[in-house]
Amino acid sequence: VQLQAFGGGLVQAGESLRLSCVASGSIFSEFSRRMMAWYRQPPGKERELVARFTSLGDTTYTDSVKGRFTISKNNSKNTLYLQMNSLKQSDTAVYYCNAYPPFGSDVWRWGQGTQVTVSS
């Protein structure tokens, strides 16, 4: 399975972006049963969890993005989305998708991610 994230770019603070991540090579059940998540790695920092689905299908977010970001998915397309509104400079990072938790047999090989750069 290959994870391909796209939709990043250079935007100004306050603007929006919508990221997509396709799990190509995955069959429907492999994608749909996983708790999919978005992660990000800011410059010079460790990768961190941004948003994810729970085992019940609910969504959770790290505090810094609550109310601004929305995670969603389309299981029939093996695609995960992240709608990012009111972007801040602190959101600048490479964004990745993968299963949650980020270890164990459910985790696929990490893709290249997509760069999001927010300017002031």
Side-chain angles (χ1 to χ4, degrees), residues 30 33-34 98-109:
E30 291 178 330
R33 71 169 182 80
R34 279 172 166 78
N98 214 317
Y100 179 86
F103 52 82
S105 59
D106 275 358
V107 176
W108 287 313
R109 180 177 296 180

Side-chain angles (χ1 to χ4, degrees), residues 57 72 84 93:
S72 61
M84 306 187 296

Side-chain angles (χ1 to χ4, degrees), residues 63-79:
D63 285 347
S64 62
V65 308
K66 282 181 181 177
R68 300 188 297 121
F69 289 12
T70 303
I71 186 173
S72 61
K73 62 178 179 173
N74 185 327
N75 288 331
S76 65
K77 295 183 177 181
N78 289 346
T79 302

Side-chain angles (χ1 to χ4, degrees), residues 44-111:
K45 297 184 179 180
E46 297 292 316
R47 186 154 49 202
E48 61 185 13
L49 177 66
V50 176
R52 70 175 180 94
F53 282 92
T54 71
S55 59
L56 298 178
D58 298 324
T59 56
T60 67
Y61 301 87
T62 193
D63 285 347
S64 62
V65 308
K66 282 181 181 177
R68 300 188 297 121
F69 289 12
T70 303
I71 186 173
S72 61
K73 62 178 179 173
N74 185 327
N75 288 331
S76 65
K77 295 183 177 181
N78 289 346
T79 302
L80 188 71
Y81 304 99
L82 186 68
Q83 178 66 43
M84 306 187 296
N85 298 329
S86 303
L87 283 162
K88 304 176 180 180
Q89 281 188 283
S90 56
D91 295 319
T92 294
V94 179
Y95 284 71
Y96 305 85
C97 77
N98 214 317
Y100 179 86
F103 52 82
S105 59
D106 275 358
V107 176
W108 287 313
R109 180 177 296 180
W110 292 91

Side-chain angles (χ1 to χ4, degrees), residues 19-21 32 37 39 61 64 78 96 100 106 114 118:
L19 306 184
S20 301
C21 181
S32 63
Y39 302 84
Y61 301 87
S64 62
N78 289 346
Y96 305 85
Y100 179 86
D106 275 358
T114 186
V118 185

